[in-house]
Amino acid sequence: MSPGSREQTHSPGALAPLVSRPLLLLLLLAASSPHADACIIVPSENGTSVTCHPPAQVPRSLPADTIHLVVEFFNLTQLPAGVLQGVPGLRDLHLSSNRLENLSATLLLQVPRLQVLDLTRNALARLPAGLFRHSANLHTLVLKENWLVALEGSWLQDLGGLEHLDVSGNQLRALPPALLANLTRLRVLDLSANQLDALPTDLLRGPKRLERLHLEGNRLRALGAELLTPQPDLRLLFLGDNELSEVAAGAFRSLRRLDMLDLSNNSLSRVPEGLWASLGQPGRDMEDGFDLSRNPWFCDQALRDLSVWLLANQEKMFSRDDTRCAEPVALRGQSLLAVAQAL
């Protein structure tokens, strides 16, 4: 990709998850259905998909072969008792955009094959102990935009098959040690848009193959040398919109496949020499780019290490016009890349 085309690319933190094709088709069917007061039921040789939006009624019973269930935008504060009884093959359950305040500990007891649970935009402040006791097949759990102020390791301990965990947009202030200890298959972790000011050093020691880590939109002040060490295969790292003023010299040393790094909109004025040594090298070429914009960079000789790296990787740089010097006064407002060429 050319430098010019990178400048027009959306911020790396704005990447959105893809909507699955089957779900998109179901939504289109619902929108165009002449029977808007009924749920959309689509049978197939693999099983039945049921999609319910208002003004349809929340179903009291479901086809026995239901594998995909969507019950969204009903403002439900609790689920009807036994709503999942009789559908043991259910794989996908989407309950977003309701007002669920609590869940029964036995909600998922009858659906041991469940693979996807989406609880986006509800009012959950906590999860019941044992909710996932029979959910060994669950690989995607979305708790985005709820009212969670804390996470407990016991909630997740039975989710050894989980690959995608999204708890973004909650009110998390701290995380307990060993939170992800049993999530050895986790590939995507989204903790963005919370109120975290620090992370436990062992946070990432459970997962064995994390690929994508979202930490943007928190209050993180420092990135230590140990946090990322257990994840050499991490490919996408989002740290924008925090309060980072310190990054340890060895913070990225273990990363051998990093393709995207977002450090935009932080409080970085200097970074230690050697921080970039493992990034942007042959075989580690950050092909999806990096963003260092909207930081108060102090452009003196101490920035020379970063300058050399910038010049070698400038074609992968996002937001060049917003990556500028804040100090010293004589260079204030000048492009960091232009100053790098003069150092």
Side-chain angles (χ1 to χ4, degrees):
M1 185 180 293
S2 68
S5 62
R6 284 189 178 276
E7 284 299 296
Q8 298 171 5
T9 304
H10 291 297
S11 165
L15 295 175
L18 297 175
V19 177
S20 68
R21 181 176 176 85
L23 178 55
L24 180 59
L25 291 174
L26 285 171
L27 292 176
L28 291 173
L29 281 170
S32 60
S33 172
H35 305 289
D37 58 344
C39 295
I40 305 299
I41 299 177
V42 181
S44 75
E45 61 181 23
N46 295 321
T48 297
S49 295
V50 179
T51 301
C52 303
H53 295 118
Q57 298 296 311
V58 177
R60 295 288 175 175
S61 62
L62 297 164
D65 67 341
T66 298
I67 59 172
H68 184 101
L69 175 61
V70 178
V71 180
E72 298 175 327
F73 302 101
F74 282 97
N75 291 327
L76 297 173
T77 57
Q78 55 184 323
L79 293 173
V83 66
L84 300 181
Q85 286 185 359
V87 287
L90 189 68
R91 297 176 190 170
D92 295 355
L93 177 58
H94 298 264
L95 297 169
S96 73
S97 302
N98 285 290
R99 294 183 181 176
L100 296 172
E101 298 173 355
N102 53 67
L103 301 174
S104 167
T106 60
L107 173 66
L108 306 180
L109 180 62
Q110 305 296 324
V111 288
R113 299 181 187 176
L114 193 68
Q115 297 176 4
V116 176
L117 176 59
D118 182 2
L119 290 160
T120 300
R121 286 187 297 278
N122 278 285
L124 297 169
R126 62 179 293 107
L127 299 179
L131 175 64
F132 302 116
R133 188 171 298 156
H134 301 279
S135 300
N137 291 306
L138 196 70
H139 65 63
T140 299
L141 174 60
V142 182
L143 293 164
K144 180 179 181 178
E145 295 178 27
N146 276 275
W147 295 356
L148 297 170
V149 296
L151 291 178
E152 297 181 16
S154 60
W155 297 348
L156 307 176
Q157 65 183 6
D158 296 313
L159 295 177
L162 200 66
E163 297 181 10
H164 187 136
L165 175 61
D166 185 346
V167 287
S168 62
N170 280 277
Q171 302 172 41
L172 302 175
R173 297 177 180 271
L175 300 175
L179 174 67
L180 309 176
N182 293 340
L183 306 190
T184 57
R185 298 185 182 178
L186 197 66
R187 295 187 299 106
V188 178
L189 175 61
D190 195 337
L191 293 165
S192 64
N194 279 286
Q195 301 175 35
L196 299 167
D197 57 18
L199 300 170
T201 56
D202 68 352
L203 177 66
L204 304 180
R205 290 182 189 167
K208 302 299 184 185
R209 49 184 179 182
L210 197 67
E211 296 177 3
R212 183 173 187 136
L213 177 59
H214 286 268
L215 294 169
E216 69 269 27
N218 281 285
R219 301 174 180 175
L220 300 174
R221 297 188 295 269
L223 181 64
E226 303 298 324
L227 180 69
L228 302 174
T229 299
Q231 300 302 328
D233 295 325
L234 190 69
R235 294 185 54 248
L236 305 167
L237 176 57
F238 299 94
L239 286 160
D241 297 293
N242 276 283
E243 300 173 10
L244 290 172
S245 60
E246 179 183 349
V247 178
F252 305 139
R253 186 174 298 151
S254 67
L255 304 181
R256 62 192 184 196
R257 294 185 57 196
L258 196 67
D259 288 332
M260 166 74 76
L261 174 63
D262 181 8
L263 281 166
S264 63
N265 198 28
N266 276 284
S267 300
L268 295 169
S269 58
R270 304 176 189 271
V271 289
E273 186 173 352
L275 176 65
W276 315 99
S278 64
L279 305 180
Q281 303 299 319
R284 308 176 183 180
D285 63 358
M286 296 188 68
E287 61 183 19
D288 293 326
F290 64 93
D291 194 342
L292 305 178
S293 65
R294 290 172 291 148
N295 280 282
W297 295 108
F298 196 107
C299 297
D300 62 2
Q301 288 296 322
L303 209 66
R304 184 169 181 79
D305 187 58
L306 171 57
S307 298
V308 171
W309 188 83
L310 278 182
L311 294 176
N313 294 279
Q314 56 184 294
E315 74 280 2
K316 305 158 191 170
M317 185 177 182
F318 287 100
S319 307
R320 296 182 188 182
D321 289 344
D322 292 323
T323 310
R324 297 181 175 275
C325 301
E327 299 290 344
V329 174
L331 297 177
R332 185 173 297 166
Q334 292 195 30
S335 162
L336 184 60
L337 191 57
V339 172
Q341 292 171 339
L343 286 177

